[in-house]
Amino acid sequence: MKIKLTCLLLLVSFSLLAQEEQKEYRLSLDEAIERALDSSYNAINARRDIEIALKKKWETTADGLPQIDANVDYQNSLKLPVQLLPAEITGGPPGTFLPVQFGTKQSLSATATATQLIFDGSYLVAIRASRTFLDYTNTNVEKTALEIRKSVIDAYGNVLLAYELVDILESNQTTLQKNYDETKKIFENGLQEEEAVEQLQITLLQITNQLNNAKRLVVITEDMLNLSLGIPLKDEIILTDDLDNLAEENISLELMNADANIEDNVDYRLAQNFIEQKEHEYNLERAKALPSLSTFINYGTTGNSETFSFLKKEQEWYQSSIWGVSLNIPIFSSLKRSARSAQARIALAQAETQFEQSKEQIRLQIDKAKNDYQFAIENYRTAKQNLKLAERIENKNQIKFSEGLATSFELRQAQTQLYQTQQEFLESMLEVLNSKAELETVLNTPNIIISNP
């Protein structure tokens, strides 16, 4: 009994601990976007991209700064090599040789070398290229911020849509269940045809299935929002905005009439940056034909001994030092450098052509985004009017059916039309949000950034 009680207490403790770990967030759409730009997985990695670019720039810069290397060599000759000397030097007969061994059995040497690049055309090009790479990374991070914003708007709107859909389907199910129960009683009293009951039952079953699916979608959309914000799936997010209010607030005629400056578009700047990269690659190939000049200074010390006595004070050490200058002059490469330069020049021309194509594509994207946004606004207003009409039609058919002036098939048609109109109205509100976000993305009007690390 004591063991069972202990296990029960442990289970309760773990359950309470799990509940304490779950966090709750109350977020409006703007707050959700702000959090995503700070804490989402994509935002975190974007900041790391900037860190990598900064380190890459310093790596390139360091190539032209002094470099110091040290080297320590220890040798233990298990058997010293034998050299043959003419025996005549020691008074021996001509034509004979005297075997001798030079050096000591063990030796230790330590050398330090400092090098400094004086001139290299490739290094100068690499420095400029590293700055271009940093600009590219910053622009790409800005694009990531826009994509994060757009994905959060979509995820936030989908959660609100799922909530609204569940509410509408529950209301429809309640109304249908009441109609079905009343009609079934009338049929049982012999005052209604069986087909009327069956028609209502078909509609009720369909709505019930849709409601069950909508409830499952709520969980999925909530998890997708958590994922886009970088919040663990176990935590709860309470949305403080309303879908209908967001749709009304995001109708902006000023945005429709805004002048489109394609130079603000991030894809335009990325394409421009790509040209700069190709220019650096072309200049790099040309710079390889220039001479390079560097200097070095070397200092070393060597010790020799028959035994390992290099750590003793009486060990003798012999120093050496060298200073020099190295000049490398490319002379002839069998037109290899010329071929590589030609390839880089052609690649630059391709980048310039792609840039012209990108400008036209961006103009087309802006026009399409404006048209989609305009259509979304018009569709939202139309869907709002259609919903009122569909509700009136369905209500009239309800009254006619109860008075025996309309068939069950006509009532079902009116109900189906209402349910479809409700779905279209909800989707039209979400489309206003998404189409505006797309237009703002191509125009870069939010002008948002991910803060540097």
Side-chain angles (χ1 to χ4, degrees), residues 63-337:
D63 289 338
L65 301 178
Q67 309 289 319
I68 300 176
D69 298 313
N71 186 36
V72 178
D73 289 322
Y74 167 73
Q75 293 184 358
N76 189 335
S77 300
L78 301 178
K79 194 170 184 64
L80 287 173
V82 176
Q83 301 291 332
L84 297 179
L85 297 178
E88 297 178 17
I89 63 175
T90 60
T96 61
F97 296 91
L98 178 67
V100 296
Q101 292 178 319
F102 293 98
T104 57
K105 187 176 181 181
Q106 299 188 44
S107 65
L108 180 68
S109 63
T111 306
T113 304
T115 59
Q116 172 63 58
L117 182 66
I118 298 176
F119 174 79
D120 190 335
S122 300
Y123 172 73
L124 298 177
V125 174
I127 289 294
R128 291 193 291 267
S130 66
R131 298 193 189 109
T132 300
F133 178 70
L134 182 59
D135 291 340
Y136 168 80
T137 303
N138 285 323
T139 304
N140 203 44
V141 167
E142 185 177 346
K143 182 176 181 178
T144 300
L146 291 171
E147 293 297 330
I148 290 173
R149 178 181 182 271
K150 190 167 66 171
S151 66
V152 170
I153 291 174
D154 182 60
Y156 196 99
N158 277 322
V159 176
L160 291 177
L161 176 64
Y163 290 163
E164 293 284 349
L165 186 59
V166 169
D167 291 342
I168 288 176
L169 289 174
E170 286 179 342
S171 176
N172 293 340
Q173 185 191 48
T174 301
T175 303
L176 278 170
Q177 186 67 52
K178 181 180 178 182
N179 290 343
Y180 173 75
D181 294 338
E182 291 176 352
T183 305
K184 187 177 181 181
K185 288 181 181 179
I186 296 174
F187 164 71
E188 291 172 351
N189 293 327
L191 300 176
Q192 184 62 272
E193 296 180 0
E194 185 178 9
E195 181 183 350
V197 179
E198 294 172 342
Q199 290 282 3
L200 288 172
Q201 187 177 11
I202 290 173
T203 308
L204 180 60
L205 289 174
Q206 289 176 340
I207 288 296
T208 302
N209 287 338
Q210 293 176 11
L211 176 58
N212 293 334
N213 182 58
K215 289 179 178 179
R216 292 190 294 268
L217 284 176
V218 166
V219 178
I220 295 174
T221 55
E222 287 177 339
D223 287 346
M224 291 178 64
L225 178 60
N226 283 43
L227 187 63
S228 65
L229 299 182
I231 295 176
L233 300 186
K234 63 181 177 60
D235 294 341
E236 182 182 5
I237 300 177
I238 299 176
L239 310 188
T240 60
D241 277 332
D242 176 77
L243 185 58
D244 195 8
N245 291 335
L246 283 177
E248 291 289 345
E249 292 171 0
N250 280 271
I251 295 177
S252 173
L253 297 179
E254 294 180 359
L255 186 62
M256 287 293 304
N257 299 325
D259 294 332
N261 186 5
I262 64 171
E263 294 181 2
D264 293 332
N265 184 277
V266 289
D267 289 327
Y268 174 91
R269 282 183 280 147
L270 286 173
Q272 199 173 41
N273 188 274
F274 185 66
I275 291 180
E276 295 178 8
Q277 293 179 33
K278 292 302 178 182
E279 287 177 346
H280 293 319
E281 291 177 8
Y282 175 53
N283 292 331
L284 177 62
E285 296 301 329
R286 296 175 62 190
K288 289 179 180 179
L290 300 175
S292 62
L293 180 64
S294 62
T295 183
F296 69 93
I297 186 170
N298 172 285
Y299 179 82
T301 182
T302 303
N304 300 284
S305 178
E306 290 296 325
T307 61
F308 193 88
S309 61
F310 304 109
L311 302 179
K312 298 180 180 179
K313 292 182 179 181
E314 58 269 19
Q315 173 67 45
E316 293 185 358
W317 297 92
Y318 303 94
Q319 283 75 35
S320 62
S321 182
I322 302 174
W323 173 81
V325 177
S326 176
L327 177 64
N328 180 33
I329 305 175
I331 297 177
F332 183 66
S333 65
S334 297
L335 300 180
K336 177 182 178 180
R337 287 191 299 272

